[in-house]
Amino acid sequence: MRRRNEADNLKISVAIDGPAGAGKSTIAKLVGKEYNLMYINTGAMYRAVALKAKENGLSSNKVDEICKLISKMEMHFENDDLIVDGENIQEKITMPEISNIVSNYASIPEVRSILVKLQRDMSNKFDVIMDGRDIGTVVLKDASFKFFLTASADERANRRFKELQKRNIECSYDQILKDIIDRDYKDTHRPTDPLKKADDAIEIDSTKLDINGVVEKINEYIRKGKK
Ligand code: DC
């Protein structure tokens, strides 16, 4: 992983935003490998907050307690997974019960400001590829490359359904589609840092593209832009 040093002015940061299930994390991991960038999954950080708050019985109106809890959490990424206080929590945070509550915590302005600061600290230390909802618009406004990845709600529900089935997690397609539509609404309508395409982001619709097709498109933009 490329760690930056003071004299190093060759900074690279890649921002990937888009709605739930558009394939951001799969694609960010692959592009990250290609260019030796640290992959920062910011959705995982919001999910970790939801998980820990749930474990501690803190509903989303307990803002002070939640902020205190976050200040005690040590979060870092190892091999693309989020490690919190030494535990790999990747499996736990992708369970449907966390997906269904995470936007309640992600919409708290105080939570966002703490996590945005942590994310910027990571990008100051490492060359990163970061995915989320507000990376190009808030976290890394000066990112070297910005992409906005979309896909139809049906296609995104279909992908999530197949992924959960593969993990033997009981689920219904209709429920997943409903959850995705609800989450899109919440992500795009919250007052603080809603999901929106940055003016200077390149939009890629992945509905009819496979993973390699999207990765190749992004790699091409980066290759062309890299001096
Ligand atoms: O990408 P994801 O589904 O793992 O994101 C989980 C939740 O966190 C989702 O409700 C959107 C929110 N989120 C956010 O508000 N800002 C980010 N930068 C990343 C995720």
Side-chain angles (χ1 to χ4, degrees):
M1 214 60 56
R2 258 175 52 81
R3 182 182 261 276
R4 292 191 182 138
N5 63 53
E6 299 260 317
D8 188 357
N9 54 14
L10 217 170
K11 291 181 177 182
I12 296 190
S13 53
V14 180
I16 303 192
D17 289 302
K24 300 184 296 295
S25 66
T26 308
I27 282 148
K29 282 179 200 170
L30 292 167
V31 176
K33 298 266 170 318
E34 179 79 21
Y35 293 98
N36 200 22
L37 308 172
M38 178 182 273
Y39 169 51
I40 310 287
N41 177 347
T42 64
M45 297 171 77
Y46 288 98
R47 285 170 180 269
V49 170
L51 173 74
K52 293 292 169 187
K54 185 170 186 271
E55 284 176 357
N56 285 273
L58 296 175
S59 55
S60 55
N61 59 349
K62 298 269 187 281
V63 176
D64 288 348
E65 285 97 323
I66 295 167
C67 291
K68 232 179 255 162
L69 187 69
I70 305 175
S71 70
K72 291 194 205 121
M73 289 163 66
E74 192 283 321
M75 295 193 236
H76 71 273
F77 286 88
E78 245 173 61
N79 302 322
D80 301 336
D81 285 353
L82 180 58
I83 312 294
V84 176
D85 300 330
E87 183 191 355
N88 185 328
I89 56 161
Q90 205 64 33
E91 188 73 23
K92 284 187 191 165
I93 58 175
T94 48
M95 297 300 279
E97 58 264 32
I98 299 300
S99 304
N100 292 339
I101 59 167
V102 58
S103 51
N104 300 333
Y105 296 90
S107 61
I108 304 171
E110 291 85 347
V111 167
R112 302 200 68 81
S113 98
I114 300 174
L115 293 194
V116 166
K117 184 177 178 310
L118 289 175
Q119 291 153 10
R120 286 186 183 144
D121 288 347
M122 290 174 183
S123 86
N124 285 331
K125 285 193 200 124
F126 297 97
D127 282 338
V128 296
I129 182 161
M130 205 177 267
D131 76 350
R133 306 294 190 284
D134 58 343
I135 311 305
T137 51
V138 176
V139 183
L140 302 178
K141 273 194 192 143
D142 296 328
S144 330
F145 301 93
K146 295 183 186 179
F147 299 96
F148 193 81
L149 201 58
T150 61
S152 70
D154 270 331
E155 177 59 23
R156 289 184 283 132
N158 204 16
R159 290 176 190 168
R160 189 114 313 164
F161 179 64
K162 283 188 189 152
E163 179 204 322
L164 290 172
Q165 272 196 322
K166 232 198 247 169
R167 289 166 58 193
N168 290 322
I169 296 171
E170 209 177 306
C171 56
S172 101
Y173 172 83
D174 289 342
Q175 187 60 45
I176 292 173
L177 179 61
K178 184 183 167 298
D179 291 345
I180 280 195
I181 292 169
D182 282 354
R183 209 129 62 89
D184 283 356
Y185 186 86
K186 284 185 189 158
D187 288 347
T188 50
H189 285 78
R190 66 167 176 242
T192 313
D193 309 339
L195 168 66
K196 108 174 176 302
K197 179 185 162 303
D199 292 338
D200 52 351
I202 295 157
E203 182 161 352
I204 299 176
D205 182 344
S206 74
T207 308
K208 295 200 171 92
L209 288 172
D210 65 7
I211 290 164
N212 288 337
V214 180
V215 169
E216 195 31 55
K217 251 180 194 256
I218 292 183
N219 282 345
E220 206 180 310
Y221 278 111
I222 297 179
R223 265 198 307 273
K224 278 192 206 151
K226 235 175 125 177
K227 306 282 179 303

